[in-house]
Amino acid sequence: MKKLKISKFIAVISAVGIIAASSVIGANAAVVDNSLSVSSDFKNTDILVISNTNSGLPSKYSSVDLGYVTNIKNQGSNDCWAYAGVATFESKLLRDGFNVGNMSATWANVWATTKLNGKGWQRDFNSEGYNYIIPGYLTSWYGGILESDIDPVDLKGDIYGDMAPANLARYGTTSIRYLSKSNPNEIKQAIMDNGGVYTGYAQTVNCMNNNLSYFMPEDYSGSYVGHAVEIVGWDDNYSRMQFGTTNKFRPKNNGAWLVRNSWGNYNSLGGYFWISYEDKYIFDSRYNPSFTIEEFMEITDDVKLKQNEIYGATYEFQYVVRDKITYINKFDFSDNYNIIDKVVFETQSVGADYEIYYIPVENEVPDNDENNWIKLDSGKVEFSGYICADFEDFSAPVGDGAIAVKIDTTDLNEGKDYTTDPSYVINSIGVGEWLRTSSGVYTFINDSKHGDCFIKYDKKMRELLDWYKYAFEDDLGGTFVIKAVTRENIEDDFMLGDVNLDGTITIDDVTLAQKYIANMVDLSKQAQKNADVDKNSKIDINDVTTIQKYIAGIYEW
């Protein structure tokens, strides 16, 4: 398989970045009325009026009135994506009952600048950004920094991504759902469940009406720039007549999204505005990904995120046309953070089955024999985005070990030909991989290392950078987006070999362990821990033999 039928050539992501309100709104800006806010258009008594559709969703909703937003910000650079991203995270935290203050968009911007070694996002502090930056920022646990926890950025000197601190985030994102224009009810549900949704659209003064409503028709062909915002509500009955001054710039139907902007308090809605459901680019694939934050966790001293990349999924690894593929990341569990609590991975293979394994590593290579793999979890990919598999804690042996995500699209693709059937689901996983424009300019350069990642299909395991070199003559390669949430291994009071938990080690413990191996009895979690005397997370004949040697006085632990 020297030449693959699916290839990657250029980046297809669109930039988002508008410098400030004054340069965007221009001479048509409305007079700011500080006595009004978006809440004046909503009443708490009617935000949950059920529509006449069968969706069960309200016809009008506002996270603003429910207190799931912080104050409106005024971006000072081309970093609307950073402000929209941290605003979406703020809304999730507030929606889930966390009393948080303002998060730092400026430090998100710093994090996404080029590093001293030339790797990472190829942008400076004042340049535009991309919608894939924020999901990587949040799921790498650099995001979630409160402004009150960090000093202001000194904008006078050179700024590099290395300046962003790695240990000040209070909350780590573990699950992100990508959203599509084709499913507006899913978007509405996400706003209700998580407080807000991140998205982008094409901004031009030509389509703005009194700084309060916005609609770009499908046939619009004028100039525009990308802009990222947070959607925090909707109104199915918002009149189409509020858009534009002629039918050319009015949608065909009522209905609009409530937008939380980052241009300060520039209009009579206190910095919010409405954008029509029918706008040309809102939630469109041109500005992928639109997303909502599904899950997060508090970051404490006893928790560590193990990852081989910090930028998240910049691309989708979907080059191998196979129904069953195992994607593997190798980690070092020798730092006492070896209790695996969760596994986070990115995929767009919606509906596929997945299984997660711990794989022993010998001579720096994961064991290819699946009989030696330990299954941690299984499930189905419910949505496109970052999936969080939360399972019973697993104690990984100290030293190198690997986490594998096996994705299986067999049931989804039965009877389908991937070359002709558009419903064929490609087996894929997120990868931190270089991005380049059609003109050859790099927008992202990954920082991959040999031996971090492996891929297995057709019964053969391959090191990922070697695979890239063989398949594409690509020396940069990529890194799989598989992350392990680990906890510090704090030893409990327990007695190795005391399988029956009676405080002594006798032949009765040997007998009980043998019965457990033969599936004749069950053991409690503590009993299993005591029986695993060689601490390899398996109870087998080797443990029984070791206990017998201990009783005979010819072995000590």
Side-chain angles (χ1 to χ4, degrees), residues 252-271:
K252 295 180 180 179
N253 301 288
N254 295 338
W257 301 106
L258 179 60
V259 179
R260 180 186 180 186
N261 209 350
S262 53
W263 299 340
N265 187 356
Y266 69 96
N267 64 5
S268 61
L269 292 181

Side-chain angles (χ1 to χ4, degrees), residues 493-505:
D493 290 331
F494 69 99
M495 181 183 292
L496 286 177
D498 181 19
V499 185
N500 62 5
L501 306 180
D502 66 353
T504 60
I505 303 172

Side-chain angles (χ1 to χ4, degrees), residues 322-370:
R322 298 290 189 278
D323 285 328
K324 295 182 181 180
I325 304 175
T326 302
Y327 308 95
I328 303 166
N329 271 11
K330 188 180 74 176
F331 299 111
D332 181 2
F333 294 105
S334 61
D335 59 357
N336 212 40
Y337 285 85
N338 65 319
I339 306 299
I340 304 174
D341 182 36
K342 301 176 180 67
V343 169
V344 177
F345 62 99
E346 197 269 9
T347 182
Q348 296 186 27
S349 299
V350 180
D353 297 310
Y354 70 82
E355 294 176 339
I356 296 175
Y357 294 89
Y358 170 83
I359 304 179
V361 171
E362 295 184 4
N363 298 321
E364 300 185 351
V365 177
D367 192 338
N368 190 51
D369 186 353
E370 297 191 22

Side-chain angles (χ1 to χ4, degrees), residues 305-332:
L305 183 67
K306 292 188 181 293
Q307 54 190 343
N308 292 334
E309 46 69 37
I310 64 168
Y311 294 104
T314 60
Y315 207 72
E316 204 70 11
F317 187 98
Q318 52 183 14
Y319 306 123
V320 180
V321 185
R322 298 290 189 278
D323 285 328
K324 295 182 181 180
I325 304 175
T326 302
Y327 308 95
I328 303 166
N329 271 11
K330 188 180 74 176
F331 299 111
D332 181 2

Side-chain angles (χ1 to χ4, degrees), residues 189-203:
Q189 190 65 57
I191 296 170
M192 291 185 66
D193 291 344
N194 303 317
V197 165
Y198 175 105
T199 192
Y201 72 100
Q203 165 65 34

Side-chain angles (χ1 to χ4, degrees), residues 190-250:
I191 296 170
M192 291 185 66
D193 291 344
N194 303 317
V197 165
Y198 175 105
T199 192
Y201 72 100
Q203 165 65 34
T204 172
V205 295
N206 298 327
C207 296
M208 182 72 79
N209 185 33
N210 292 326
N211 291 328
L212 302 177
S213 58
Y214 187 90
F215 170 65
M216 178 180 284
E218 284 293 330
D219 61 356
Y220 180 83
S221 58
S223 62
Y224 58 82
V225 290
H227 185 48
V229 292
E230 181 192 14
I231 306 297
V232 291
W234 70 86
D235 185 350
D236 292 339
N237 299 311
Y238 190 87
S239 174
R240 60 179 292 273
M241 301 303 292
Q242 297 294 326
F243 298 95
T245 55
T246 65
N247 281 334
K248 178 180 179 181
F249 285 98
R250 285 177 181 149

